[in-house]
Amino acid sequence: MVGIKRLGLLATLVVVGLAPAAAAQAAAQPSAQDTQYLQAVHQVNLAEIVTGNLAQKKGQNEQVKQLGQQFVTDHTQLDQTVKSTAQQLNVTLPNAPTADQQKVIDKLNGLNGAAFDKAWVTAELAGHVQAIQATQTEISQGSEQSVVQLAQDALPVLQAHYDALVALAQELGVPVPQTSASGTASPGNGTPAPGGTTESPAPGGTTESPEPGGTTETPVPGNS
Protein backbone atom coordinates (compact mmCIF):
# COMPACT_ATOMS: atom_id res chain seq x y z
CA MET A 1 0.00 0.00 0.00
CA VAL A 2 1.06 3.62 -0.43
CA GLY A 3 3.59 4.25 2.30
CA ILE A 4 1.99 4.99 5.61
CA LYS A 5 5.38 5.90 7.04
CA ARG A 6 5.69 8.50 4.29
CA LEU A 7 2.38 10.00 5.37
CA GLY A 8 3.62 10.32 8.93
CA LEU A 9 6.82 12.03 7.84
CA LEU A 10 4.88 14.40 5.60
CA ALA A 11 2.50 15.31 8.39
CA THR A 12 5.39 15.94 10.78
CA LEU A 13 7.12 18.22 8.29
CA VAL A 14 3.91 20.10 7.67
CA VAL A 15 3.28 20.66 11.36
CA VAL A 16 6.79 22.02 11.75
CA GLY A 17 6.11 24.35 8.84
CA LEU A 18 2.80 25.44 10.33
CA ALA A 19 4.29 26.54 13.63
CA PRO A 20 5.65 29.93 12.48
CA ALA A 21 2.36 30.83 10.81
CA ALA A 22 0.37 29.86 13.88
CA ALA A 23 2.72 31.79 16.14
CA ALA A 24 2.62 34.96 14.09
CA GLN A 25 0.28 37.68 15.25
CA ALA A 26 -2.66 38.06 12.89
CA ALA A 27 -2.39 41.26 10.88
CA ALA A 28 -6.06 41.37 9.96
CA GLN A 29 -9.43 40.16 11.08
CA PRO A 30 -10.50 36.85 9.53
CA SER A 31 -13.20 36.96 6.88
CA ALA A 32 -16.36 34.85 7.06
CA GLN A 33 -14.61 32.38 4.73
CA ASP A 34 -11.59 32.17 7.03
CA THR A 35 -13.76 31.69 10.11
CA GLN A 36 -15.93 29.05 8.47
CA TYR A 37 -12.90 27.14 7.25
CA LEU A 38 -11.29 27.05 10.69
CA GLN A 39 -14.54 25.82 12.23
CA ALA A 40 -15.18 23.29 9.48
CA VAL A 41 -11.67 21.83 9.38
CA HIS A 42 -11.70 21.58 13.19
CA GLN A 43 -14.85 19.45 13.00
CA VAL A 44 -13.27 17.38 10.25
CA ASN A 45 -10.31 16.75 12.55
CA LEU A 46 -12.55 15.79 15.45
CA ALA A 47 -14.47 13.34 13.27
CA GLU A 48 -11.29 11.89 11.74
CA ILE A 49 -9.78 11.27 15.16
CA VAL A 50 -12.89 9.35 16.26
CA THR A 51 -13.20 7.31 13.06
CA GLY A 52 -9.46 6.66 13.03
CA ASN A 53 -9.68 5.20 16.52
CA LEU A 54 -12.64 3.10 15.41
CA ALA A 55 -10.57 1.74 12.52
CA GLN A 56 -7.89 0.58 14.92
CA LYS A 57 -10.46 -1.05 17.20
CA LYS A 58 -12.97 -2.55 14.75
CA GLY A 59 -11.11 -2.91 11.46
CA GLN A 60 -10.39 -6.39 10.11
CA ASN A 61 -7.95 -5.36 7.38
CA GLU A 62 -4.50 -4.53 8.75
CA GLN A 63 -4.10 -1.60 6.36
CA VAL A 64 -7.38 -0.14 7.60
CA LYS A 65 -6.02 -0.31 11.13
CA GLN A 66 -2.71 1.29 10.11
CA LEU A 67 -4.35 4.09 8.13
CA GLY A 68 -6.71 4.75 11.01
CA GLN A 69 -3.75 5.16 13.34
CA GLN A 70 -2.03 7.47 10.86
CA PHE A 71 -5.14 9.60 10.44
CA VAL A 72 -5.44 10.04 14.19
CA THR A 73 -1.84 11.21 14.36
CA ASP A 74 -2.04 13.56 11.40
CA HIS A 75 -5.40 15.13 12.21
CA THR A 76 -4.43 15.58 15.86
CA GLN A 77 -1.33 17.47 14.77
CA LEU A 78 -3.26 19.53 12.23
CA ASP A 79 -5.89 20.40 14.83
CA GLN A 80 -3.25 21.76 17.18
CA THR A 81 -2.44 24.39 14.58
CA VAL A 82 -6.11 25.02 13.82
CA LYS A 83 -6.82 25.67 17.51
CA SER A 84 -3.76 27.89 17.90
CA THR A 85 -4.66 29.94 14.83
CA ALA A 86 -8.30 30.24 15.89
CA GLN A 87 -7.27 31.44 19.35
CA GLN A 88 -5.08 34.17 17.92
CA LEU A 89 -7.88 35.31 15.63
CA ASN A 90 -10.56 35.08 18.36
CA VAL A 91 -12.50 32.48 16.38
CA THR A 92 -14.70 30.21 18.49
CA LEU A 93 -14.48 26.57 17.45
CA PRO A 94 -17.22 23.92 17.80
CA ASN A 95 -16.62 21.33 20.50
CA ALA A 96 -17.95 18.30 18.60
CA PRO A 97 -18.31 16.92 15.08
CA THR A 98 -21.35 17.97 13.06
CA ALA A 99 -24.60 16.05 13.36
CA ASP A 100 -23.98 14.44 9.97
CA GLN A 101 -20.49 13.40 10.96
CA GLN A 102 -21.89 11.89 14.15
CA LYS A 103 -24.36 9.85 12.09
CA VAL A 104 -21.47 8.28 10.21
CA ILE A 105 -19.63 7.61 13.45
CA ASP A 106 -22.73 5.94 14.84
CA LYS A 107 -23.11 3.84 11.69
CA LEU A 108 -19.49 2.69 11.85
CA ASN A 109 -19.94 1.84 15.52
CA GLY A 110 -22.59 -0.67 14.51
CA LEU A 111 -20.38 -2.52 12.02
CA ASN A 112 -17.58 -5.03 12.35
CA GLY A 113 -15.09 -6.94 10.22
CA ALA A 114 -15.14 -6.65 6.45
CA ALA A 115 -18.39 -4.66 6.47
CA PHE A 116 -16.75 -2.08 8.73
CA ASP A 117 -13.64 -1.91 6.54
CA LYS A 118 -15.60 -1.13 3.38
CA ALA A 119 -17.90 1.38 5.07
CA TRP A 120 -14.93 3.09 6.70
CA VAL A 121 -12.96 3.40 3.46
CA THR A 122 -16.07 4.70 1.64
CA ALA A 123 -16.68 7.35 4.29
CA GLU A 124 -13.01 8.34 4.45
CA LEU A 125 -12.74 8.73 0.69
CA ALA A 126 -15.76 11.01 0.56
CA GLY A 127 -14.64 12.93 3.62
CA HIS A 128 -11.17 13.58 2.29
CA VAL A 129 -12.53 14.66 -1.10
CA GLN A 130 -14.68 17.18 0.70
CA ALA A 131 -11.90 18.34 3.02
CA ILE A 132 -9.65 18.86 0.01
CA GLN A 133 -12.32 20.91 -1.74
CA ALA A 134 -12.91 23.09 1.34
CA THR A 135 -9.15 23.58 1.70
CA GLN A 136 -8.80 24.58 -1.95
CA THR A 137 -11.65 27.06 -1.47
CA GLU A 138 -9.85 28.63 1.48
CA ILE A 139 -6.62 28.87 -0.50
CA SER A 140 -8.37 30.67 -3.36
CA GLN A 141 -10.88 32.76 -1.40
CA GLY A 142 -9.42 33.25 2.08
CA SER A 143 -8.09 36.66 3.11
CA GLU A 144 -6.32 36.08 6.44
CA GLN A 145 -2.81 34.92 5.60
CA SER A 146 -2.37 32.65 8.63
CA VAL A 147 -5.51 30.70 7.71
CA VAL A 148 -4.61 30.55 4.02
CA GLN A 149 -1.14 29.29 4.96
CA LEU A 150 -2.67 26.65 7.21
CA ALA A 151 -4.80 25.46 4.30
CA GLN A 152 -1.82 25.44 1.93
CA ASP A 153 0.18 23.31 4.36
CA ALA A 154 -2.73 20.98 5.14
CA LEU A 155 -3.54 20.27 1.49
CA PRO A 156 -0.63 17.88 0.75
CA VAL A 157 -1.40 15.86 3.89
CA LEU A 158 -5.06 15.53 2.92
CA GLN A 159 -4.09 14.59 -0.62
CA ALA A 160 -1.65 11.97 0.64
CA HIS A 161 -4.42 10.49 2.80
CA TYR A 162 -6.71 10.41 -0.21
CA ASP A 163 -4.10 8.69 -2.38
CA ALA A 164 -3.54 6.02 0.28
CA LEU A 165 -7.30 5.50 0.57
CA VAL A 166 -7.64 5.09 -3.20
CA ALA A 167 -5.03 2.33 -3.17
CA LEU A 168 -6.79 0.58 -0.30
CA ALA A 169 -10.22 1.01 -1.89
CA GLN A 170 -9.01 -0.66 -5.06
CA GLU A 171 -7.74 -3.57 -3.02
CA LEU A 172 -11.06 -3.93 -1.16
CA GLY A 173 -13.28 -3.36 -4.19
CA VAL A 174 -14.69 -0.08 -2.86
CA PRO A 175 -15.87 2.52 -5.44
CA VAL A 176 -13.54 5.52 -5.65
CA PRO A 177 -14.82 9.11 -6.09
CA GLN A 178 -14.04 10.63 -9.45
CA THR A 179 -11.16 13.03 -9.90
CA SER A 180 -10.97 16.16 -11.99
CA ALA A 181 -8.83 16.56 -15.10
CA SER A 182 -6.13 18.16 -12.97
CA GLY A 183 -6.00 15.10 -10.77
CA THR A 184 -7.58 16.85 -7.81
CA ALA A 185 -10.00 14.73 -5.87
CA SER A 186 -13.64 15.47 -6.54
CA PRO A 187 -16.72 13.68 -5.28
CA GLY A 188 -18.26 10.83 -7.15
CA ASN A 189 -21.97 10.13 -7.23
CA GLY A 190 -23.51 8.17 -4.42
CA THR A 191 -20.47 8.11 -2.18
CA PRO A 192 -21.56 8.95 1.36
CA ALA A 193 -19.40 11.45 3.17
CA PRO A 194 -18.49 11.17 6.81
CA GLY A 195 -21.47 13.44 7.17
CA GLY A 196 -23.66 10.61 5.99
CA THR A 197 -25.11 12.42 2.99
CA THR A 198 -24.65 11.63 -0.67
CA GLU A 199 -25.42 15.12 -1.91
CA SER A 200 -22.49 17.45 -1.50
CA PRO A 201 -22.09 18.65 2.06
CA ALA A 202 -19.18 20.92 3.00
CA PRO A 203 -17.30 20.39 6.26
CA GLY A 204 -19.55 21.66 8.94
CA GLY A 205 -21.70 23.49 6.49
CA THR A 206 -24.37 23.07 3.85
CA THR A 207 -23.01 23.16 0.35
CA GLU A 208 -23.06 21.65 -3.09
CA SER A 209 -19.60 20.23 -2.63
CA PRO A 210 -19.58 17.37 -0.13
CA GLU A 211 -17.74 18.20 3.01
CA PRO A 212 -17.09 15.94 5.93
CA GLY A 213 -20.12 16.34 7.97
CA GLY A 214 -22.13 19.04 6.36
CA THR A 215 -25.08 19.27 4.00
CA THR A 216 -25.13 22.51 2.13
CA GLU A 217 -25.60 24.21 -1.16
CA THR A 218 -22.51 26.31 -1.69
CA PRO A 219 -18.92 25.20 -2.17
CA VAL A 220 -17.73 27.30 0.73
CA PRO A 221 -17.57 25.46 4.05
CA GLY A 222 -20.21 26.66 6.43
CA ASN A 223 -20.70 26.71 10.12
CA SER A 224 -22.48 23.98 11.91
Side-chain angles (χ1 to χ4, degrees):
M1 188 186 103
V2 175
I4 292 176
K5 292 183 179 179
R6 181 177 65 83
L7 298 185
L9 175 60
L10 176 59
T12 300
L13 292 175
V14 166
V15 170
V16 171
L18 286 171
Q25 182 65 36
Q29 291 299 312
S31 65
Q33 162 62 37
D34 298 323
T35 297
Q36 290 169 357
Y37 178 71
L38 285 173
Q39 293 171 336
V41 77
H42 174 61
Q43 288 181 299
V44 169
N45 291 332
L46 293 179
E48 288 296 330
I49 290 168
V50 174
T51 57
N53 282 323
L54 283 177
Q56 296 175 70
K57 177 182 177 181
K58 300 171 72 71
Q60 175 176 291
N61 183 287
E62 187 60 32
Q63 292 178 355
V64 167
K65 291 177 178 288
Q66 291 177 0
L67 266 187
Q69 181 180 33
Q70 189 62 60
F71 289 2
V72 169
T73 298
D74 293 352
H75 284 278
T76 297
Q77 291 176 334
L78 174 59
D79 207 47
Q80 290 173 353
T81 304
V82 172
K83 289 187 290 188
S84 175
T85 302
Q87 182 177 17
Q88 291 192 17
L89 297 175
N90 294 316
V91 172
T92 301
L93 297 177
N95 59 12
T98 67
D100 282 340
Q101 288 168 334
Q102 188 60 49
K103 288 179 183 178
V104 170
I105 292 169
D106 292 342
K107 177 182 177 181
L108 292 173
N109 258 319
L111 299 173
N112 290 289
F116 173 89
D117 291 344
K118 289 188 175 182
W120 184 83
V121 172
T122 297
E124 291 297 320
L125 279 168
H128 278 81
V129 164
Q130 297 156 4
I132 287 169
Q133 290 179 333
T135 299
Q136 290 171 330
T137 297
E138 172 60 27
I139 291 171
S140 64
Q141 299 181 17
S143 58
E144 168 54 43
Q145 185 54 42
S146 64
V147 184
V148 173
Q149 185 64 54
L150 185 156
Q152 290 174 333
D153 290 334
L155 185 58
V157 175
L158 294 171
Q159 187 67 54
H161 286 184
Y162 176 80
D163 292 344
L165 285 164
V166 168
L168 181 54
Q170 291 171 342
E171 178 179 321
L172 297 179
V174 172
V176 176
Q178 301 171 353
T179 56
S180 67
S182 65
T184 300
S186 62
N189 294 332
T191 305
T197 63
T198 55
E199 295 183 3
S200 302
T206 313
T207 66
E208 284 180 1
S209 312
E211 267 314 321
T215 312
T216 58
E217 297 179 5
T218 65
V220 179
N223 291 330
S224 42

